[in-house]
Amino acid sequence: MKIVSYSSKPYDKQALCRVLDAEWDIVYTELALDLHSLSLANGAEVITAFVNDRLDRAVLEKLYAGGTRLIALRCAGFNNVDLEAAKQLGIKVMRVPAYSPYAVAEHTVGLMLTLNRKFHRAYNRVREGNFSLNGMLGFDMHGKTIGIIGAGRIGRLVGKMLKAFGCEVLIYDPYDCSACKQMGITQVPIEQIFTDSDVISLHCPLNKETTHIINADSISSMKTGVMLINTGRGGLMDTSALIDGLKSGKIGYLGMDVYEKEGALFFEDHSCEIIQDDAFERLLTFHNVLVTGHQAYFTQEALSHIAETTALNIQAYISGNNSCLENELTCS
Ligand code: NAI
């Protein structure tokens, strides 16, 4: 059986090889999946794909025609997949629902602390022999109100970590979160997250309801100087509203591990090119903005878990072709 693994960087390949190559012949490619690269998948019953691979109807139809019947996503988010089209075509889509919520939660708190205490600026200053503290003033996390959007695995962990700092933690989720109550985290309407929080952190999936959940309106209802953190998905935030909020001072700090147009930039070295995305480049000019390139998940443990679960998903597909599989997304 032919398997093609898209968007497979050397570090992905190393982790995947350990578990996949023992059983199957895999073609690894660093190319992202799109209309140009899908010819590689011709004759492959299984493909594996990552966060920015294009899996819309046009690509899925061509994959199906080429013989693909399983898409094994090596990630939790699936906003890049047209699940309806996959279902109609009879392509199974499986994912890795939780490879390391700890990795993402720890990175999230890291962004908060870095923006607050300005580690990124201190690193450069001290190396240049500049020990001035002007512009380095932070605030105690203790006693601050943190608003979390999305009470899933990652959101709850972020809440737990910040409770340990002595923060008051509010959480919004459309579903009742009994585990939150037990952790001393208060579930509130989303409007209260916006109005009451000193720091707002996004941990919900990207879908029709959550697209641009952070927009000019929601920003206008926030505290002046609010810190916004997004390690969820780029499309949760309206970039032009962020730029306006930063220019006016309404947004005091912005930490992003994801960006709504990251597909054209992230995971590749563009250091010798002129980046054409003016909004992204504008964001980088603000001293109170910190961007990481979708690396919140990137720990040894997460890579191993992704590889192991991907192998289990492929095995489950092979042995249970017609049943609804545990990590399958197209099952109703
Ligand atoms: P999860 O599925 O455990 O939790 C998501 C939560 O969001 C659920 O409680 C769900 O009820 C809630 N939710 C659904 N619709 C909502 C809405 N309209 N408003 C607020 N909450 C809503 O997912 P998990 O593992 O906590 O991951 C959260 C997100 O983090 C993923 O969807 C993914 O996009 C992102 N992620 C980012 C990574 C990175 O490296 N930056 C790595 C892994 C995940």
Side-chain angles (χ1 to χ4, degrees):
M1 187 177 64
K2 181 177 169 187
I3 301 179
V4 176
S5 187
Y6 280 95
S7 296
S8 297
K9 301 292 177 203
Y11 44 82
D12 295 312
K13 188 174 170 188
Q14 201 179 24
L16 290 165
C17 275
R18 278 200 288 270
V19 289
L20 294 184
D21 287 15
E23 298 213 38
W24 303 290
D25 243 351
I26 318 280
V27 177
Y28 295 97
T29 174
E30 290 201 32
L31 291 174
L33 173 60
D34 59 19
L35 284 169
H36 303 292
S37 62
L38 59 63
S39 59
L40 279 173
N42 220 354
E45 188 171 341
V46 176
I47 65 152
T48 86
F50 200 50
V51 288
N52 291 326
D53 285 316
R54 182 177 156 187
L55 288 153
D56 57 13
R57 182 177 287 277
V59 170
L60 290 171
E61 281 173 352
K62 289 207 160 56
L63 284 173
Y64 184 82
T68 301
R69 297 295 178 267
L70 173 68
I71 292 164
L73 293 175
R74 306 194 309 275
C75 51
F78 49 89
N79 50 286
N80 54 331
V81 189
D82 185 337
L83 288 180
E84 197 49 46
K87 194 172 181 178
Q88 282 164 9
L89 289 163
I91 297 179
K92 283 185 191 289
V93 183
M94 298 181 77
R95 65 171 178 151
V96 184
Y99 31 93
S100 176
Y102 305 100
V104 183
E106 288 165 11
H107 191 86
T108 302
V109 175
L111 287 175
M112 288 176 194
L113 293 179
T114 303
L115 280 164
N116 174 7
R117 305 307 299 271
K118 301 162 182 56
F119 298 144
H120 52 316
R121 302 185 77 191
Y123 176 83
N124 289 322
R125 260 192 205 191
V126 169
R127 286 168 76 92
E128 287 174 8
N130 177 358
F131 303 97
S132 160
L133 295 183
N134 289 331
M136 305 298 263
L137 192 64
F139 58 82
D140 286 5
M141 293 294 286
H142 183 269
K144 295 296 178 295
T145 300
I146 315 293
I148 294 173
I149 299 181
R153 298 174 191 89
I154 298 170
R156 289 200 309 270
L157 260 180
V158 170
K160 188 175 171 188
M161 290 173 187
L162 291 166
K163 288 291 289 181
F165 278 78
C167 298
E168 189 192 341
V169 181
L170 309 177
I171 209 156
Y172 167 73
D173 197 287
Y175 303 99
D176 184 52
C177 179
S178 50
C180 295
K181 275 183 213 114
Q182 284 158 17
M183 293 161 69
I185 296 173
T186 316
Q187 195 165 358
V188 298
I190 193 152
E191 294 76 17
Q192 196 179 338
I193 296 279
F194 295 145
T195 54
D196 290 11
S197 304
D198 300 295
V199 177
I200 297 176
S201 195
L202 304 180
H203 303 289
C204 55
L206 176 63
N207 54 35
K208 275 189 200 127
E209 286 82 53
T210 59
T211 296
H212 287 183
I213 201 166
I214 302 299
N215 54 42
D217 266 0
S218 52
I219 291 170
S220 71
S221 66
M222 293 174 193
K223 289 185 181 178
T224 295
V226 65
M227 180 188 289
L228 298 182
I229 303 288
N230 186 7
T231 59
R233 282 291 179 267
L236 298 172
M237 291 176 144
D238 176 352
T239 306
S240 62
L242 292 176
I243 292 170
D244 290 344
L246 285 157
K247 283 166 78 175
S248 71
K250 185 77 177 174
I251 300 172
Y253 314 79
L254 173 65
M256 309 185 348
D257 184 53
V258 286
Y259 169 58
E260 58 179 332
K261 294 184 181 153
E262 69 177 49
L265 295 171
F266 285 11
F267 305 123
E268 302 296 338
D269 180 359
H270 297 286
S271 56
C272 294
E273 298 166 21
I274 304 298
I275 291 177
Q276 300 296 325
D277 184 332
D278 292 347
F280 185 74
E281 291 297 285
R282 179 68 178 105
L283 279 178
L284 298 186
T285 65
F286 295 100
H287 69 81
N288 49 355
V289 172
L290 178 58
V291 181
T292 53
H294 209 136
Q295 68 173 78
Y297 78 99
F298 197 53
T299 63
Q300 294 163 8
E301 291 78 2
L303 285 189
S304 301
H305 201 156
I306 287 170
E308 282 155 17
T309 309
T310 301
L312 288 174
N313 285 346
I314 296 171
Q315 270 161 355
Y317 161 76
I318 291 169
S319 58
N321 235 333
N322 297 317
S323 56
C324 183
L325 305 169
E326 194 191 352
N327 294 333
E328 188 176 345
L329 285 165
T330 40
C331 282
S332 50

